[in-house]
Amino acid sequence: MARTKQVTLTTEEGPLKSERDAPENRIASSKKKSAKKQPSSIRFIKLYRYCNKTDYLIMAIGTLTAVANGIIMPVLALILGGATSSFDPRNDPDAIVNNGKKYAFYFLYAGIGAFFAAQLSMSCWMLIGERQTINIRREYFRALLRQEIGYFDKVNPNELSTRVANDCQMIWQGIGEKVQTCIFNSVMCVTGFTIGFSKGWELSLIMLLNIPLIFIGGSLFFWSVQKATKKNLEAYEKSGGIAEQALGAIKTVVALCGEEKEVARYKASLDESRSIVVKYGFMGGFFVGILMFALMSCYALGLFYGSYLIEWKRWNPIEGRPYSFADVLSILFVNLMAAFSISGLTAPLKSFALAKKAGARAMEVIDRVSQIDIEDESGEKPDIKGTIEFKDVTFAYPLKPEKQILKGINLIARPKQKVAFVGESGCGKTTAMQLIERFYELDSGDILFDGVSIKKINLKWLRDNIGYVGQEPALFATSIEENLKFAKPDATEEEIWTA
């Protein structure tokens, strides 16, 4: 008959479990640590660390077609100018018809080219963004599962799923279609100004007066949108943690009639960002008004000064003739395209910055070396007989190293012997079980399995040979059989029924 051994665990500090496990204390401590050390951004190229040869080929195709699309758009303004000059009433009617057909085909060919270039470039970069984000999301989640339990004491686990989703969303936006938008706008800007100054430097120079206003208006508008989005994401991350916490313990919430309280907490977390988002919404509306005013002013200035160039018959040294309406029209449109493309660069640049920061958070977790790595293949795999010995074990949780939970504990649990840990709340009963599972590293002392130090035993093998039912067991959203097979995938039906 198995013997029962009772072990009383006490500490000088008294109950500590409720203090350590309280979500508000853990969140507050996490916020203090994050306030001290915010993750810096990483190099943009590091976000493509999981690319393979296929990805590089897709990126090359997407880049070349984005460049082609950026060149095509300003060229359309040249075609428009040529078509306008061909419609001069002084020209022969047959020549007008023939030129009209010719330029119509030019527009058709340019439109077909722009269609395929835009479609292919956007598809390639969106595909790259999706492929890389899936890789990062997988490695991010895998790295979180690989971390030691002490890592999760420093963060709010209920916010992790929302944080992973938000970080990956920002990375996807930054490394996908926003890259195509940046390349397209950059090429269109350079091509537009090049064509504009090559067609007529004087009018192009005058139109540059409105460029700063267009850039400022567009930049501030996109800045306000990004700021509002960031505040929304922060609010959703916090409220998502509250929702997961409440839904994860829904039976307790219902039993204590806490539904209204949880709804109020959820609503309060969202209300914190409402005034800020509304403020940035009004600012965004004002800035987009400035942008539209700048664009219309650019039209007005170009047409106003261009009309005087035509009236004065100002000589265009580049064309070797006086300025014509076709020249003014072509210069006006290419410069407007170039100016608008400058403001269009603001959104991609903001997305790149956010993606680099989100990538820094993700890579910090992915590259973090777990202090107790479940994937470490090293370590002994001895024949277990069942003797567990605590040898002068001293331990304090990493979150509060100044408060020791266990002080010099010594005990031996022999095979087929039932051992009961008895003591007040927070004295270390659950802690002792977690140390047997090697969830944490000891501050001093050792735990021996049949005389072998726990640090020398292969971690995965150790946990595979321990059956443990916690105080509050959690079941995954699947059958009981599948839940049991998480612990032993090759379990037989007889072993499942025995368990």
Side-chain angles (χ1 to χ4, degrees), residues 363-378:
M363 299 306 168
E364 185 181 32
V365 176
I366 292 173
D367 295 334
R368 185 180 186 273
V369 178
S370 177
Q371 296 178 6
I372 307 175
D373 193 352
I374 189 65
E375 296 183 357
D376 186 0
E377 296 294 333
S378 63

Side-chain angles (χ1 to χ4, degrees), residues 169-339:
Q169 176 69 15
M170 285 189 283
I171 292 172
W172 175 80
Q173 290 178 347
I175 67 176
E177 54 94 12
K178 286 295 189 296
V179 178
Q180 187 273 345
T181 303
C182 181
I183 296 172
F184 168 73
N185 282 305
S186 299
V187 173
M188 187 165 67
C189 176
V190 174
T191 306
F193 282 129
T194 302
I195 293 176
F197 278 89
S198 66
K199 289 287 291 181
W201 66 268
E202 189 174 358
L203 180 58
S204 296
L205 196 61
I206 291 297
M207 292 187 66
L208 285 179
L209 295 175
N210 271 18
I211 298 300
L213 191 59
I214 294 175
F215 178 74
I216 291 172
S219 300
L220 291 177
F221 167 67
F222 288 118
W223 169 80
S224 62
V225 172
Q226 295 281 358
K227 201 73 173 177
T229 303
K230 180 182 178 182
K231 293 297 180 182
N232 266 332
L233 289 177
E234 290 175 354
Y236 289 149
E237 181 177 316
K238 183 178 179 180
S239 59
I242 293 174
E244 287 191 31
Q245 192 177 50
L247 294 175
I250 188 63
K251 293 181 179 179
T252 304
V253 173
V254 173
L256 299 176
C257 299
E259 297 93 334
E260 293 185 3
K261 180 181 178 181
E262 294 301 324
V263 171
R265 287 179 61 208
Y266 185 82
K267 183 175 181 297
S269 67
L270 293 177
D271 287 342
E272 290 179 5
S273 64
R274 177 188 295 177
S275 59
I276 299 176
V277 172
V278 170
K279 180 184 73 173
Y280 284 114
F282 279 111
M283 291 172 65
F286 177 74
F287 294 141
V288 77
I290 293 178
L291 174 62
M292 297 309 298
F293 172 76
L295 288 173
M296 296 303 107
S297 298
C298 201
Y299 275 109
L301 182 61
L303 292 174
F304 176 78
Y305 190 74
S307 64
Y308 277 104
L309 292 178
I310 296 172
E311 181 184 356
W312 298 335
K313 296 183 179 180
R314 181 68 62 87
W315 188 260
N316 187 347
I318 297 175
E319 296 291 337
R321 55 173 172 76
Y323 276 94
S324 65
F325 177 68
D327 295 336
V328 172
L329 198 63
S330 297
I331 296 170
L332 176 67
F333 278 110
V334 293
N335 280 283
L336 278 173
M337 287 181 184

Side-chain angles (χ1 to χ4, degrees), residues 21-24 26-27 152 155-164 236-249 265:
D21 290 342
E24 59 272 15
R26 182 167 58 236
I27 296 171
F152 297 97
V155 298
N156 181 10
N158 295 309
E159 292 182 2
L160 285 178
S161 61
T162 307
R163 184 184 303 173
V164 170
Y236 289 149
E237 181 177 316
K238 183 178 179 180
S239 59
I242 293 174
E244 287 191 31
Q245 192 177 50
L247 294 175
R265 287 179 61 208

Side-chain angles (χ1 to χ4, degrees), residues 85-93 96:
S85 62
S86 68
F87 293 149
D88 192 332
R90 293 170 293 182
N91 294 341
D92 182 70
I96 293 176

Side-chain angles (χ1 to χ4, degrees), residues 77-138:
L78 287 180
I79 299 174
L80 178 62
T84 303
S85 62
S86 68
F87 293 149
D88 192 332
R90 293 170 293 182
N91 294 341
D92 182 70
D94 291 335
I96 293 176
V97 173
N98 291 332
N99 287 330
K101 291 179 180 179
K102 180 181 69 173
Y103 284 108
F105 278 110
Y106 286 166
F107 274 112
L108 178 62
Y109 299 147
I112 293 173
F115 170 78
F116 284 107
Q119 193 274 339
L120 194 57
S121 63
M122 183 64 74
S123 298
C124 286
W125 278 107
M126 289 189 71
L127 179 60
I128 284 295
E130 196 66 38
R131 285 167 64 94
Q132 295 311 303
T133 304
I134 289 174
N135 290 334
I136 293 173
R137 188 188 297 268
R138 181 180 62 247

